Every structure is written in structure tokens, then in C-alpha cells.
Amino acid sequence: MSGPILIVEDESAIADTIDYALRTEGFTPHRCELGGEALERLRRETFRLVILDVGLSDLSGFEVCRRLRTFSEIPIVFLTARSEEVDRIVGLEIGGDDYVTKPFSPRELVARVRVILRRIERREEPIVPGTLELDEDGHRIRFSGQPLDLTRYEFLLLKILMGSPERVFTRAQLMEQVWAGAEESGDRTVDTHVKTLRAKLRAVNPELDPILTHRGLGYSLTRAR
Ligand code: CA
């Protein structure tokens, strides 16, 4: 995940830490200190997201947001210093997407930025039936856009199959990778979990069966179109 992000913050020490954290994670941060300047740049340039301090010296972050919303739907993460500001963000329809309260951890801020961008990307992508998507952070897998309710071993099993589509994994290989260190053992364990996994996939999309059985060998996953 990458792209230009606008940081609107008049305290340079804070802007520096955000800038650094974003850069480290592959984003391209741009900075400005005033609300008016931010609005001008947001009209002219394309950013993926704005990190907007509420306490700026010309316009308040809320006013910047209000004006910005007249011409742009860009996601906004507010930086706030006071709890009453949080009340306004949360309680009123300011039009922000998220906020962090100072002092905040830059890592947390970047994590929030990622969550918002991922959410937007998902909204923009048409869902292809049969697509399996791994949400590593959320420890979830979606099938045809729907989150699957998987047990720990079902999750690991599917994740490993997804890691190498079309590769045939023997039951022994799957045992080794999924059930490493577990008490359970035996080919039946793999078969039982594949069976319940298939049932859960079928519940989402009855026409598709992405897990293939290779007689005498093991299992593979068909490549999503
Ligand atoms: Ca400030």
C-alpha cells in the first residue's frame, strides 16, 4: 500500500514523526502547516488521504474539513489535542473518517490510515465470485467478498493452500505446516478439516468448489480468475 498523503499540522515535531512513520511504511507524505494552503493543494493535487490537525493557526481543522467536503470525498484522519474535540468528531457529522488523540503513537496512526485505505480499496474493487482474499491483520479470509467463519486450523489450512495456488499439497505436507506441534495427527485430520472448510465455502457460493482433491496425492486450490 502506498501513495501520497497530505499531513496538515503546524507543529513541525509532530509532522516530522508522522512523516517518518508514513515514509517507513511506503507512503509518500506531503506537508503543509495552514488550513488554507491545505485546501488549495487538495483542489489542485491528488492525495489518497489527509491527516488533519484540528488546531491550526488560520482555520480550524473542522472548518478545513467542512470546506473540503464541498468538493472532495477524500478520507480524513483528525489529530486532536482535547477530548471535547473528539466529542465533536464522534458526535457531529463532521465528515472525518477517524481520529487519533495527542499524544499518539505514529504506528497506530499509520495502522489506522491503512485500515481506511483498505476499506476504500475494497469498496472500489468489484467482487469477483470465487475470489479468496486473505486479511492477515484481521486473521480472516473472505470468499466472494464474504468473511468466512473459520476455526483456527481451517484458517491455517486455507491460508497455506492460498499461498501456492494450483500446487498439490500432500496430506503429510499439510499436517506438517498446519498442525505443527499439535497433538492431533493422521490423514483423517486433514480430510475432516477440508470437508468442513468446503461446507463453509459452499455456504457462501454453492456453485464453486475451489479446493480440488487429487486422488492418492492430496489437495490444491484453484487459481482465482
Ligand atoms: Ca496544532
Side-chain angles (χ1 to χ4, degrees), residues 9-11 53 55-56 102:
E9 166 62 85
D10 53 357
E11 285 161 81
D53 184 31
L56 299 168
K102 292 175 183 177

Side-chain angles (χ1 to χ4, degrees), residues 28 70 89 92-93 108 114 129 150-151 156 162 179 198:
T28 312
T70 62
I89 296 167
L92 300 179
E93 301 221 321
E108 185 202 333
R114 284 188 174 283
L150 303 176
T151 65
L156 288 171
M162 284 169 73
W179 283 269
R198 273 188 170 139

